[in-house]
Amino acid sequence: LRSINKEHLVMGRGRDGGGSSAPTVPPITHLDYDNSENQLFLEEERRMSFTGFRCLEISRWLICGLIGVLTGLIACFIDIVVEKVARYKYEAIKQNIERFTEVGGLSISLILWAVLNFSFVMVGSILVAFFEPVAAGSGIPQIKCYLNGVKIPRVVRLKTLVIKVCGVICSVIGGLAVGKEGPMIHSGAVVAAGVSQGRSTTLKKDLMIFEYFRRDTEKRDFVSAGAAAGVSAAFGAPVGGVLFSLEEGASFWNQMLTWRIFFASMISTFTLNFFLSISHNNTGDLSNPGLINFGRFESENLNYNLYEIPLFIAMGAIVLGALFNFLNYWLTIFRIRYVHRPCLQVMEAMLVAAVTASVSFTMIYFSNDCQPLDSEHAEEYPLQVHPPLHHQPLQTSPSRILLFMPKQMLKLCFLSFIQLFCADGEYNSMATTFFNTPEKSVRSLFHNQPGTYNPLTLGLFTITYFFLACWTYGLAVSAGVFIPSLLIGAAWGRLCGIWLASLASIWADPGKYALIGAAAQLGGIVRMTLSLTVILVEATGNVTYGLPIMLVLLTAKIVGDYFQEGLYDIHIKLQSVPFLHWEAPATSHWLTTREVMSSPVTCLNRIEKVGTIVDVLSNTSTNHNGFPVVVQPSKLCGLILRSQLIVLLKHKVFVELAGSRLTRRKLQLKDFRDAYPRFPPIQSIHVSQDERECLMDLTEFMNPTPYTVTQETSLPRVFKLFRALGLRHLVVIDDANRVVGLVTRKDLARYHLGKHGLEELHLAQT
Amino acid sequence: LRSINKEHLVMGRGRDGGGSSAPTVPPITHLDYDNSENQLFLEEERRMSFTGFRCLEISRWLICGLIGVLTGLIACFIDIVVEKVARYKYEAIKQNIERFTEVGGLSISLILWAVLNFSFVMVGSILVAFFEPVAAGSGIPQIKCYLNGVKIPRVVRLKTLVIKVCGVICSVIGGLAVGKEGPMIHSGAVVAAGVSQGRSTTLKKDLMIFEYFRRDTEKRDFVSAGAAAGVSAAFGAPVGGVLFSLEEGASFWNQMLTWRIFFASMISTFTLNFFLSISHNNTGDLSNPGLINFGRFESENLNYNLYEIPLFIAMGAIVLGALFNFLNYWLTIFRIRYVHRPCLQVMEAMLVAAVTASVSFTMIYFSNDCQPLDSEHAEEYPLQVHPPLHHQPLQTSPSRILLFMPKQMLKLCFLSFIQLFCADGEYNSMATTFFNTPEKSVRSLFHNQPGTYNPLTLGLFTITYFFLACWTYGLAVSAGVFIPSLLIGAAWGRLCGIWLASLASIWADPGKYALIGAAAQLGGIVRMTLSLTVILVEATGNVTYGLPIMLVLLTAKIVGDYFQEGLYDIHIKLQSVPFLHWEAPATSHWLTTREVMSSPVTCLNRIEKVGTIVDVLSNTSTNHNGFPVVVQPSKLCGLILRSQLIVLLKHKVFVELAGSRLTRRKLQLKDFRDAYPRFPPIQSIHVSQDERECLMDLTEFMNPTPYTVTQETSLPRVFKLFRALGLRHLVVIDDANRVVGLVTRKDLARYHLGKHGLEELHLAQT
């Protein structure tokens, strides 16, 4: 195997807390979506009756249901805790304001507010930076990698989940420019990985159920379902969730699997909806399918004219998304170089929290966008007595709108605080944008009457929030980028709408343009396509905007890709992960397996000396994971994995030199499953000098029918086989069935279509 | 190759018009989703620049857009023509009624109505039975087969499309218990197959564009897009369309492909919507995304209680769908045996038309379900002056509701005709159900006030319509089963709702139960899962019902599968099509390739005598389509297809015996593409006795890197490889790379999990 510098297999050093502070980080490993159909496996399958298979199928459904319920509950928990804690926070500020309004010391209230934010962010950041660095960010790049077949260490552990949930709560309450939606995807995935295995290594608890599912193939299927359930809970978009999982992960579309994924998604959004309705004392009101919803776009606002479509497309071509990615790329490189100690990371997060608070204050203070306080605007802070005004739709149930700010308190704040810098009977438009939760601001930008926002306010807000969000993404806090992106996009989209209306004298509903802008910005940043369209359509609740949203996302992707990759892909690339795209680069037909494969290959004999195996496994310079098994003269007869060899060595499945078998317990699949997925390193297995002379018979344990290709096969063809079947190793044979090479994920992920044709990525380069 | 009785490769003899009347029907063939990467292909790919690939990609998008536009236009055309012609029909009846109301000869009006229906059905049936039998039915089974990789002759030809469109119009106007939605899927697929090839053999017109796409892989991708566009236009469900295509066809999920499919779907529903809005003089009102929509379910009606979910599931377990399939199965067998002449088929269709009309009359005549004619019910026949009444939603734009019956005329009919058997100020509830278009009846059942329908009326209607629809499906007319299923289900669902409300004294909105019943019935008949859920959710326009619909469909599938397969699967099976399901049967691990494969295999040498090739191709007892190419001693070096050999023979690409090459034009990929897809039969190619002694060098044309497996590979593993890559031939080699067998689609499709474990289907049995 071509040796790949080990350094690059360590996931994102900066974000992992640095090589120095976390030296025990295991290297990233790859998942094997292809079952190792060895004799043990086939025997088990052949023994199993039809009823047995049916029970397995029922278990799979049960697990998916459970994944949905737990994911929904986690989303619900985050939502409720954020609501409660934020309420206490605002209560405290409110009391402070009331106390100081008379004496004119309102700056003290502001400082109190800043200090509170600061503390929450600090707690969240310390949790992430010191206890579980992999819980930082939204987790979507990590889950994308997992579904692609690359396992980043500790990414689906219970501890990660706990830190992630606490971290998200802290960073949202801390007032950072973040959303709580992205991390739900990671949370769902962890739940799935845990539930499907029927045990937790963190809790040292093995329920002895679902043992059949303890292998990569099954686990990855469930993780797909978990990710989908997460999307579903975050955006109330079960179909979008399914498509997200498929788009990111499933190379092989399986009907039953997709159906189960959909089931998990449905259950997840239903659970969230149901429990939120209980917590809002409105049991059975199923109007909160996700953590965010965009409010109802009414039909009369929805129609667009044909001539607007080019305008939408033009908005999609605004490269603010790519600019965001560009800035974040350099910021991330800076962080990897200089901010890799946990304490530095915590300090940076606190700095961002402080800056966010200060900038908000400055903006509000210097803003002179005072809007008259009439009944229409008052509706933004709805009191239940207000009926929905004319074509301003009832955005959602009132209890939802008041998620963060109970209305009495809000009214007070509003009158005594936000109005402060404005005349009586007016309020500060900038303050309403900054002091709302991002979710609420997005909805206001979509639905508020034309004229609510001053263009200058929107412009300044866009610029400020853009830089804040860009700085925030990549901090050592758990937080998502979806909501900030939507907010930035909605702001400049609304600006476009206002500008168009004034310039071209056409009537343009600014809310509509806000939606398009949000789609353009989000699409420009994350570059998701099909699933994002469906997520946005489901969150909008109306299919009419499907076509424009799709065209905008398409434009944003095409234009954005010209300048910079998507944000997740940037982060994946910075971690040197061998990520396989959908197809081989278009112009790679001239490459054949001969050029691509790693060779020579370390092969093992079917009956091999234990010493040789130990030596091969201990060779840190190669660190291979799969070994073709051969019979002389080097004819391929199987493939065995490092993990299998480790289990064999651990159980000392040796044949004595003389040929007589030791009295040993026959190894069963259960032994492999018990060791899954944390196989011990070879260094921890002691093999005595005597044992080194024994032989091991691999016949029973190797996969006797690995997929093979010949050396003349073109790269696209190998790529297709590899990707479609989710392989980890593909053996290359010559015309006499002799092993001549091995194709692994890294061999294929190297090739990349750059601006100057096919490029070979140096996965070994930082 | 194992010889398969040729009889069974002839698609559905009965429905094809009988072996006797259509003796020239070519056998069904299989599609090859795996590119034949021969030297010619690789040379072309290697010559192509990056810009070339980009142009191809842009062409693909263009084609998908075009597919969407054309499919939308076809749907629009059908809708408008049906509307116009039905209007003339009703005008005629109306005048007749007016004339005879005074003298009391209303039975003459009834006879006029019956005769009109009769004539339309006759025309439609003659078109289908005599001119293009493959246009019968909804075409969904045929498209399922196509996407699965089985090409039924003439299924994607222009002529089929024309007949299909005319046939649908005739059968819908003829008042049969059919829908016009199913056939849209077939229509979309034909459009896609035509547009993507840039030529029409029916019209003998070759535009010389899109030549690159003239192979199975590309064509099948486009047909997926076309089918999705059809679903999208039929139900206003672009996401449902994509999922339909994926569920039925795509084994290998490709992101860009899916994205293009989605684009085609979006364009299709947009086109339909836009042109319908023009035809309704309401340009820009995008409220008709599909041929059917279910009306708007308002939020207050939507909520369901937790305790209702078991009720929904119980409704899903009502096996009326399976009963429908069971009856239709025997009916189809009867038809295959006895009704296979076109004239008999036309007579049967006419009989059904007559019976449908008579039964309706009888039911109306004997029904005494007279409902008071108040403003609420008058709304069913909406006059524009009526504002939408309280929580009865404005179902859709008025112009849409009056699709078939202009309101003045309808009012007249209503007063003078439907009221006839009732007292003044009342109307006949049975008549309203029978005399509406099925689409309109479905909407009424979903949305009408509780109390609109008498339980007896609903019960009688369900039974009658059930048998009528069951008899109608499979007639030699172009028509779909979606709408009748929905209607039957909505009727008994509403009945359940009424019954529950009276029995359990709980308030149950009958409209809600109608929706659940419709889902249960449709799901029980077609057994689609994910895509149907999404289609129904999109047609309902509200995601809240997603979970119940999904649970109902799931129950309907599980319970239904216990008794009988899905309707489409039944028809596919009756045609002995080797249809590959998603996975190998669960209990098939004990089978290895050795048992499954066909052997011995007819191999060709790399340099082979022309005579041998001609003899092999002419051997009608085997009729092989793929031949491994070997070098002595029988070492595999490639795979060549019958179609390629035919082109080679046609162009006489021979090497003279002496070894000197004939002066011949070098064959190019273009020659293969020009011949695609209708390769001439071997009998039409004349090879002289001298030429028989020549040699042919296959090196350049064979696929040098076919996928291979060994004999020990288990069936599930082979199946997965075969299905994931869409293979047509899979070569089996031994450990010295010698060809020992060949696995084809038929070898894998044979195995089937029956009630008593694994069964081997006799594909050769009628």
Side-chain angles (χ1 to χ4, degrees), chain B residues 687-703:
Chain B
V687 178
S688 71
Q689 204 58 39
D690 280 356
E691 285 168 341
R692 282 181 67 90
E693 296 303 315
C694 290
L695 292 178
M696 249 164 85
D697 183 357
L698 306 179
T699 314
E700 218 177 336
F701 310 106
M702 70 186 186
N703 178 2

Side-chain angles (χ1 to χ4, degrees), chain A residues 651-668:
Chain A
H651 288 86
K652 308 215 179 290
V653 189
F654 305 148
V655 185
E656 265 189 318
L657 256 182
S660 71
R661 289 178 165 252
L662 289 173
T663 53
R664 59 171 169 86
R665 184 171 71 86
K666 186 162 156 29
L667 216 57
Q668 289 180 323

